[in-house]
Amino acid sequence: MKLKTLVLSITLFGGIAAIPAHATQQEAATASAGEQILDLAKDQLLSGVGSLLINSFFGSGGPNYVMLSEASLQAIQERVRAEIIRDAEFEFISEFNSLESSMEHYSDTARYGRPDLALLSSLLVKSEDVINHRALNARYNNDFYYMADTYALAASVTVAIYTERYLQGYVSKSVVSTKAHNLANILDTMLRQKKAADLPLREKCIAPDPYDQVIEYKCSLRDPHGNTLASYVIEPQYPDDEVYWENLKRTKEAQYRKTKFDGIQSVINKLRSL
């Protein structure tokens, strides 16, 4: 790679708003937690005995769902929106926090062999409040689909609670499966709208100044919101420049799709497999 081109790229594109490095990573981590929950739920549904929420994944030693959700929402705010419906999203986090705390307490009681079944009923109500929150409602929040990663996690937690109710003899396995499929359909709608908002990526190459002695094309790859994913200066006198730029674009787009969409799609697939 040309040292000169690297320096020029940094100089020319350093001022362009780029996606924060942690942004899509936070969203992917949120959906990934949902995937792990559904894997545990599927295993427990197959065995049909015991307690799912006794697993340490749901206790105080497991991942903090609320922190993952907060980080994901913050990443969305930084990258996409100057203004967000703060009251609704903060209220959503508060309700999710209440659900998470109650799950941890139930997990503790189950671990000691005496699951709090009254609390299990409360968990069902709390989980429904979370997944039906107004922050996730298109009629209230025009950008609701940007919360798809958080919804994927919340939906997975809800399925875990339904699975626990099946294991404790309150509902049939078909009830769990039906709920999971309904959540998958909602999440699929969110993902399709998120893709419509975040794709396609856009390439722009600025033609050289006809008065410049050096011919070079300043190229960038950006998302629909103007955030830069990659930049490079193509100098035609270097035969490998165009090949390098094409490879760089493919790599960056693959990474973009993987971190923004693939985790959500995986959760949808797992929900539909229950």
Side-chain angles (χ1 to χ4, degrees):
M1 191 186 304
K2 306 168 296 178
L3 176 61
K4 177 183 176 183
T5 299
L6 282 174
V7 173
L8 282 171
S9 293
I10 294 171
T11 302
L12 291 165
F13 296 104
I16 296 177
I19 293 178
H22 68 281
T24 51
Q25 294 171 357
Q26 291 291 2
E27 292 171 88
T30 305
S32 178
E35 291 181 66
Q36 295 177 66
I37 290 172
L38 293 175
D39 286 339
L40 294 171
K42 187 170 186 177
D43 290 343
Q44 205 70 46
L45 281 171
L46 290 173
S47 71
V49 295
S51 168
L52 171 61
L53 300 188
I54 195 174
N55 192 292
S56 59
F57 197 88
F58 301 99
S60 55
N64 187 308
Y65 311 136
V66 172
M67 286 185 64
L68 284 169
S69 299
E70 279 191 301
S72 180
L73 291 175
Q74 181 63 33
I76 293 167
Q77 179 189 357
E78 289 177 356
R79 191 183 68 252
V80 178
R81 294 174 290 175
E83 295 294 332
I84 62 172
I85 49 172
R86 294 180 181 275
D87 61 328
E89 291 181 349
F90 288 163
E91 183 182 81
F92 170 85
I93 289 297
S94 177
E95 291 191 11
F96 206 172
N97 185 62
S98 176
L99 172 61
E100 182 177 34
S101 297
S102 296
M103 283 186 67
E104 289 180 359
H105 180 65
Y106 179 87
S107 180
D108 290 340
T109 64
R111 196 170 296 113
Y112 281 95
R114 299 183 63 184
D116 187 336
L117 299 181
L119 181 55
L120 181 57
S121 295
S122 175
L123 287 176
L124 180 65
V125 175
K126 287 177 180 289
S127 67
E128 290 293 332
D129 286 343
V130 167
I131 61 174
N132 291 294
H133 194 275
R134 61 192 177 113
L136 301 168
N137 191 319
R139 289 174 297 179
Y140 182 82
N141 179 7
N142 291 333
D143 295 331
F144 77 104
Y145 48 84
Y146 280 121
M147 295 181 70
D149 302 272
T150 296
Y151 187 86
L153 175 55
S156 301
V157 169
T158 298
V159 168
I161 293 168
Y162 270 75
T163 301
E164 183 70 11
R165 289 178 62 78
Y166 159 70
L167 294 169
Q168 298 301 330
Y170 286 101
V171 297
S172 67
K173 189 183 292 187
S174 65
V175 169
V176 181
S177 179
T178 298
K179 184 65 176 182
H181 280 71
N182 289 340
L183 293 171
N185 291 338
I186 295 170
L187 186 56
D188 184 65
T189 297
M190 296 179 78
L191 178 58
R192 283 188 280 107
Q193 293 194 44
K194 185 179 182 185
K195 284 182 176 179
D198 288 341
L199 290 172
L201 299 182
R202 294 160 168 77
E203 176 187 12
K204 181 178 181 180
C205 288
I206 302 173
D209 188 318
Y211 298 103
D212 284 350
Q213 292 183 344
V214 178
I215 299 176
E216 53 190 23
Y217 295 82
K218 305 172 183 66
C219 296
S220 64
L221 181 68
R222 304 183 189 186
D223 70 11
H225 312 286
N227 301 297
T228 301
L229 302 176
S231 60
Y232 194 65
V233 176
I234 297 176
E235 298 180 60
Q237 61 267 38
Y238 292 95
D240 294 336
D241 265 14
E242 288 193 32
V243 174
Y244 177 83
W245 175 236
E246 290 301 319
N247 289 336
L248 180 61
K249 283 191 298 180
R250 279 194 293 270
T251 298
K252 291 299 183 181
E253 179 159 7
Q255 292 173 349
Y256 182 82
R257 289 177 177 273
K258 179 179 176 61
T259 55
K260 289 181 66 61
F261 311 127
D262 288 3
I264 301 170
Q265 185 62 59
S266 181
V267 169
I268 292 171
N269 295 342
K270 290 178 187 291
L271 286 168
R272 287 179 172 159
S273 73
L274 292 176

